[in-house]
Each structure stands twice: as C-alpha cells, then as structure tokens.
Amino acid sequence: MKLIMAVVQDKDSNRLSSALVKAGFKATKLASTGGFLRSGNTTFLIGVEDNKVDDLLNIIKENCESREQLVAPVSPMGGNADSFIPHPVEVEVGGATVFVLSVDEFKRF
Ligand code: 2BA
C-alpha cells in the first residue's frame, strides 16, 4: 500500500475531490499553506493499493492545472526601509506536488 500526499492549488481542490470520489478513492483533505507564497493550498492524503497508484496519479494530473502567480516581495533600493519598492515576480505554481510514500501498516478500527 502507498500513501499519496498531493499539494494542490485551492482552485483545483473541489474538482479533484469529486473526481476521486467518482473513481472510488478515499481521501482526506487538509488546509495547508505554501512556505514560499504563504497562501493557502490543499493537501490530499490518499491511501491506495499499489496497483491503483498509476490510475490515481493520472486523476491528479488531469484535474490540477499549473498557473502563473505574481508575488510582490519588497526589494531594498537603498539603506533604509523607506526606500523599499514593490518588485513583482512571476512564479509558476505547479498543478500538483506529489509524494508517494510506502505504508508499513494500515488499520481501520
Ligand atoms: P509554495 O511554497 O507557496 O510555492 C509556490 C511556488 O513558488 C512553487 O510552485 C515554486 O514555483 C515557487 N517557489 C517555491 N519556493 C521557491 C523558492 N525558494 N524560490 C523561488 N521560487 C520558489 P511549486 O513548486 O509547484 O509548489 C507548489 C506548492 O507545493 C508549494 O507552495 C508548497 O506548498 C508545496 N511544495 C512544493 N515543493 C515542496 C516540497 N519539496 N516539500 C513540501 N511541499 C512542497
């Protein structure tokens, strides 16, 4: 058995949830925050038999879109805080960041 952890954008999370339920996968959704953008995203925990991993990864791939996002950090132009100006930078946020972990044991009580 594997545990799939998938970090996806909030915009895709409802669509992905529906697709998972429709395909018979059981999942838990956690509200999470990206360390870089510090904006909300959604982390799915999905326990799955080894022979279903590829099907699951395809569903994640089909339902999560990669998007450009503008980040507006401030950059120093001089020596003090008054001279900081906004300098927006575009980053591509992936459709999904997926970790596949081996599960030693799975129990339901
Ligand atoms: P964030 O950390 O908010 O990152 C959003 C996007 O910003 C990233 O998209 C990447 O394009 C860019 N980015 C992240 N760190 C950067 C840095 N140090 N310098 C420049 N650009 C940077 P993704 O790579 O598609 O990641 C989307 C979200 O997936 C991340 O949101 C984070 O929540 C999660 N994630 C990505 N890689 C991870 C990892 N190795 N471990 C845990 N979570 C991860």
Side-chain angles (χ1 to χ4, degrees):
M1 186 178 212
K2 298 279 191 279
L3 176 68
I4 310 298
M5 289 179 60
V7 184
V8 311
Q9 294 179 51
D10 285 344
K11 285 177 185 160
D12 296 321
S13 75
N14 281 340
R15 190 164 47 147
L16 179 58
S17 291
S18 305
L20 292 173
V21 170
K22 199 170 160 196
F25 289 104
K26 294 179 180 174
T28 298
K29 276 166 76 174
L30 305 174
S32 45
T33 304
F36 184 68
L37 295 179
R38 294 175 198 183
S39 62
N41 52 28
T42 303
T43 300
F44 284 80
L45 302 181
I46 312 158
V48 62
E49 294 307 328
D50 289 16
N51 62 352
K52 295 274 178 66
V53 170
D54 288 343
D55 292 345
L56 173 58
L57 293 179
N58 280 330
I59 291 175
I60 295 173
K61 207 168 161 184
E62 282 164 10
N63 287 280
C64 299
E65 230 175 88
S66 140
R67 299 179 181 88
E68 300 289 333
Q69 198 162 320
L70 275 182
V71 211
V74 286
S75 51
M77 293 297 289
N80 60 54
D82 294 338
S83 56
F84 278 33
I85 58 158
H87 181 66
V89 177
E90 201 165 55
V91 292
E92 183 179 337
V93 185
T97 300
V98 181
F99 302 87
V100 180
L101 290 81
S102 293
V103 173
D104 287 341
E105 271 191 82
F106 169 69
K107 304 237 187 263
R108 289 171 73 210
F109 296 111

